[in-house]
């Protein structure tokens, strides 16, 4: 018997690793039920982030599957961090098994 897919949003945040604890607190307070964090390297508008020195010049990628309501709340709560830190965030509508 095939399980049904649920409509949800995938929020992806790529930010400086120094924000990890603040992002986790924000996610928990927003009502997100879970998240995944991985180390990220790359280059873009904010320069290169190669993670070659532990704790310096490093990025993380945070992925959250959630409802549209929580997605909207997260995006709004993340916006102020862009003023001081390298951070991008985007969302995608997805279907998934939970």
């Amino acid at each position: 018997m095939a399980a049904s897919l649920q409509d949800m949003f995938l929020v992806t945040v790529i930010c400086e690793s120094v924000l990890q604890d603040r992002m986790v607190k924000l996610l928990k307070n927003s009502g997100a039920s879970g998240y995944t964090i991985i180390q990220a390297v790359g280059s873009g508008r904010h320069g290169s982030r190669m993670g070659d020195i532990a704790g310096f010049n490093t990025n993380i990628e945070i992925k959250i599957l959630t409802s549209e309501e929580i997605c909207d709340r997260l995006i709004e709560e993340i916006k102020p961090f862009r003023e001081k830190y390298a951070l991008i965030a985007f969302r995608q509508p997805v279907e998934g098994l939970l």
Side-chain angles (χ1 to χ4, degrees):
M1 184 164 155
S4 61
L5 297 173
Q6 292 183 344
D7 291 331
M8 60 191 89
F9 282 85
L10 171 62
V11 180
T12 303
V13 180
I14 302 169
C15 64
E16 296 179 43
S17 59
V18 297
L19 291 176
Q20 182 169 328
D21 291 342
R22 285 178 265 187
M23 289 290 125
V24 167
K25 183 177 180 181
L26 184 148
L27 293 171
K28 289 180 178 178
N29 290 340
S30 73
S33 60
Y35 55 89
T36 299
I37 299 176
I38 58 174
Q39 296 298 313
V41 297
S43 183
R45 189 177 69 180
H46 299 290
S48 294
R49 303 282 180 168
M50 295 300 140
D52 46 357
I53 302 172
F56 178 76
N57 200 26
T58 58
N59 277 355
I60 56 174
E61 180 177 357
I62 308 168
K63 293 185 176 278
I64 309 105
L65 284 174
T66 191
S67 67
E68 185 173 12
E69 177 185 338
I70 291 174
C71 172
D72 291 343
R73 187 178 317 134
L74 283 173
I75 296 294
E76 287 304 312
E77 292 177 1
I78 288 169
K79 282 181 182 179
F81 289 100
R82 293 176 56 225
E83 294 173 15
K84 284 183 70 175
Y85 300 96
L87 180 148
I88 62 169
F90 54 92
R91 70 184 198 170
Q92 301 164 279
V94 296
E95 294 178 322
L97 298 173
L98 293 180

